[in-house]
Amino acid sequence: MLAFSESVSIDRRLAPFDIAGSKAHAAMLARVGLITRAQGSAIQRGLDAILVEIQAGRFKWDTALEDVHMNIERALARRVPAAERLHTARSRNDQVATDIRLFLKHACAVLREKLRLAGLAILASARANADIVIPGYTHLQRAQPVPLSHHLFAWLEMLERDRGRLAVVAANANWCPLGSGAIAGTTLPIDREFTARALGFVDAKGRPQVTQNSMDAVADRDLCIEFAAAAALAGTHLSRIAEDLILWSSAEFRFAELPEAFSTGSSLMPQKKNFDACELIRGKSARLQGNLHTLLTLVKGLPMTYNRDLQEDKPPVFDSFDQTAICADVLAGAIAGVRFNKERCAAAVADPSLLATDLVDYLVLRGVPFREAHHAVGAAVALSERKGVPLNRLATADLREVHPGFGKDWAKVFNLGRALKGRTGTGMPGPAQIRRQFARWGRLLKS
Ligand code: ARG
């Protein structure tokens, strides 16, 4: 049963947050007179010393003491007689709920920063390859030409939404459960607002924020689920980015050359260079989704309020944090080493059929209804395939037979510079908009 029920092997990483919570609680107990000032300071000093020991790796964790809370309290009792009073007006239920909230506020800040750094690496790559244009794809078929930077900015949009979600999770975590006790608070005269303030559970104006229902406060694990959801979605985005890079580095595309440091060879095929870094990012995203599912299932059938099942919240939460963090780090490092192949990109985007839609627009501007123009260009594409002549090299007379709307100047459409320049609206890949987006991302990703 000991081996089965212990959690200290996992929740010991909550120690810095547990100690911060206990210090704030002790300060509050002293303030309201439930312990003396001297007892309060002795407890604070003892907890500080324990934290130093833990950080130096000298602390002896004992699984017989079950969890991080009991380990620290027992160690404190060996140093400070007043330790026996620390748990006044507190339960491990509101204690662990507080620890998790403190941990999640920290975890969200760390992941936001790591995603920002990954974004900066992507932005640097966009800057270094600002003159490259590639085909954009739908259904993995060549669709329309876009600057490579426009594609990379699409990645940045995904990661920026992830950063926004993590900020929301951190804001939701910013309510202090201490004082909820085991389930029904306490009859002792505590000051919840004081503890909340001491732990930084405050709004923008510095006003303390405390949870509003003692039962919900100890039963609630929404934040773990929200955090895992934000991490799972970030992982999904990182996976899609990784997949783009894997495709681009295949011999079929060869748009990009992999950095050696983030690739591996094959034990059998001497010529192989595999982008394992990106494949692992793709793989880890499955694990992040699994963690979210674990947490949802963990909570769904629990009667109010705290149940020991909830102890199983920590492995998936910690894993989602660790794996998202390292995926962001690895992506940032890998991107920095990816070399884009200008010639291959230029050859791919030279395919004139990528501008077939622009030819439709040409007809539309000459008064042809869109459906009719679309049909006419479709027929022109079929003609070029039948004749084995590129779309932009068809004879004007042949095109006129397809549709009388084609003028003498129809072939001007087949110019990449012109095609991009015409895309002037917000969110489009025209050069003026791309310049705007470079400036915008520079601002958004500044620390
Ligand atoms: N280790 C426990 C957990 O993580 C702490 C709370 C234990 N509470 C209790 N009543 N046994 O959930």
Side-chain angles (χ1 to χ4, degrees), residues 5-8 11 14 66-70 91-97 100 182 218 221 306-314:
S5 68
E6 71 87 18
S7 60
V8 67
D11 62 21
L14 288 176
E66 222 178 88
D67 56 24
V68 62
H69 323 293
M70 297 308 292
S91 152
R92 272 188 292 165
N93 295 353
D94 57 351
Q95 188 177 356
V96 74
I100 292 171
V218 295
R221 290 296 180 275
Y306 178 85
N307 298 268
R308 190 63 182 278
D309 317 40
L310 291 178
Q311 180 168 296
E312 289 296 319
D313 60 355
K314 273 147 227 100

